[in-house]
Amino acid sequence: MTDITQPSNSLVTEPSTPRCVRVCQNRTCKKQGAKEVLAAFEALPVADVSVMGSSCLGQCGNGPMVLILPDMVWYSGVQPQEVRLLVEQHLLGGQKVKQMLYYRFHPQK
Ligand code: FES
């Protein structure tokens, strides 16, 4: 059943589930700046959120790709200067950053 009291953009996760940010570090994403994106996340640590580089996330060419678990929220074309917004709005604020969502998995209505 859908909880209509929750805004559609909010993230509902179990408080006990640790969050993890995965930043693809495979070839294509790396060419697109994924190393700098990973460094930007590491420079803005958030309590109880782990950040790690990952192998290919299977979405090559749309990078740098970022996957946030367990939310299963995908961001594409992430630039280092956009990481602060992801940290503040998504990881701390619990709201997806709509304009950065990966269109294939998060089609806009
Ligand atoms: S290289 Fe990053 S998704 Fe494949």
Side-chain angles (χ1 to χ4, degrees), residues 38-91:
L38 178 59
F41 272 108
E42 290 171 340
L44 296 170
V46 177
D48 301 322
V49 177
S50 60
V51 174
M52 62 179 67
S54 81
S55 56
C56 179
L57 294 171
Q59 305 304 319
C60 314
N62 295 290
M65 291 300 303
V66 171
L67 171 61
I68 300 182
L69 299 170
D71 309 345
M72 284 306 291
V73 174
W74 295 74
Y75 292 106
S76 59
V78 177
Q79 299 303 304
Q81 65 272 19
E82 297 172 318
V83 167
R84 179 175 292 277
L85 177 62
L86 282 182
V87 168
E88 290 176 354
Q89 188 172 322
H90 187 128
L91 298 178

Side-chain angles (χ1 to χ4, degrees), residues 9 15 19 24 53 55 59 65 68 75 94-95 98 100 106:
N9 195 33
R19 269 186 170 158
C24 176
S55 56
Q59 305 304 319
M65 291 300 303
I68 300 182
Y75 292 106
Q95 299 287 315
K98 281 186 175 176
M100 293 173 62
H106 306 285

